[in-house]
Amino acid sequence: MKNIFLIGMPGCGKSTLGKMVAVKTKRNFYDADDELEQYYQMKITDIFNKHGEDAFRQMETETIQRLSLLHNSIIATGGGAVTRSINMEIAKKNDLVVFIDRPVKSILSDIVTEHRPLLADDAERLLQLYRDRIDLYRMYADIIIENTKTPELVINAIIEGVRTYENHDN
C-alpha cells in the first residue's frame, strides 16, 4: 500500500493525527523530524543554530527520501517540507499527500514555540509562514482535510478521503 505523507503548518496536527490514523488503519507511523534527529544525532534547533536552515532543509530532503522507500506508512513531514519542491516530488512519486489545514488562530493557541525554530522569536510569524506556504500546501496535496472538528472526526475524514482517492485512482 502507498505511504501517506501528511503536510501542513507546524501545530496543525500532523503528528498527533498521524499516530491515531496509523493505529486505526494498522500502519506504521513516522515523524520525519524525529527520524531526522535520530539519524543525524542532533536536535533540529541545534542544526538550525550550528548549520543554518539550508543545511537542515538538505537533511530533511534526505530524510524524506529514506522514508519514501517504506510502504504502508503514515509519514508526518515538517511544516516547511513543501518549501523545497524536491521533497514533494519524492512524496508524490508513488505515495499520497494529505494537507491538514488548521486555522492559524487555533494553532497559535496550542503550540509551544520554543520547540519550533522558525517560530521561537515571534509566534505571530506563523501568520506570515501560513501566507507564504498555503498555496504550496494546496498545490501539492492530493487530499485536503480541515482540522476544525474533534480528532476522531478529523481522523475519520482522513481515512475516508484516502479511501475515496485510492478507489477513484484505480
Side-chain angles (χ1 to χ4, degrees), residues 8-167:
M9 290 294 294
C12 74
K14 296 179 301 285
S15 295
T16 301
L17 295 169
K19 288 174 189 172
M20 297 161 109
V21 169
V23 167
K24 200 163 185 174
T25 60
K26 296 178 177 39
R27 293 176 179 241
N28 295 316
F29 174 79
Y30 298 90
D31 183 298
D33 286 347
D34 291 346
E35 295 297 316
L36 185 152
E37 287 183 342
Q38 185 176 359
Y39 185 84
Y40 292 101
Q41 294 295 298
M42 288 184 80
K43 292 283 183 199
I44 290 173
T45 50
D46 293 337
I47 295 168
F48 266 81
N49 292 337
K50 292 178 184 173
H51 304 291
E53 185 175 356
D54 288 342
F56 167 75
R57 294 291 171 207
Q58 182 57 42
M59 293 173 182
E60 180 178 56
T61 297
E62 292 165 7
T63 302
I64 289 170
Q65 178 65 53
R66 279 191 304 278
L67 291 170
S68 75
L69 301 174
L70 301 170
H71 300 287
N72 198 34
S73 297
I74 309 289
I75 300 161
T77 65
V82 296
T83 63
R84 293 186 81 190
S85 60
I86 186 68
N87 294 338
M88 294 299 98
E89 290 168 20
I90 292 167
K92 290 181 73 69
K93 184 174 182 181
N94 298 308
D95 300 316
L96 205 57
V97 176
V98 175
F99 168 36
I100 299 177
D101 192 7
R102 184 174 184 214
V104 173
K105 197 182 281 189
S106 298
I107 294 171
L108 284 171
S109 70
D110 277 356
I111 65 170
V112 180
T113 56
E114 63 262 17
H115 301 301
R116 313 267 184 174
L118 292 179
L119 304 179
D121 295 333
D122 180 10
E124 292 300 315
R125 178 146 190 254
L126 190 66
L127 291 167
Q128 186 58 48
L129 286 175
Y130 185 82
R131 286 185 210 107
D132 293 346
R133 296 174 180 174
I134 186 63
D135 291 337
L136 294 172
Y137 291 133
R138 289 181 178 146
M139 177 176 70
Y140 291 124
D142 295 309
I143 301 166
I144 298 173
I145 301 293
E146 289 188 17
N147 182 3
T148 56
K149 298 188 168 89
T150 65
E152 189 63 31
L153 289 173
V154 177
I155 291 162
N156 290 338
I158 293 169
I159 294 168
E160 186 56 35
V162 168
R163 187 176 298 132
T164 300
Y165 185 89
E166 289 179 335
N167 288 338

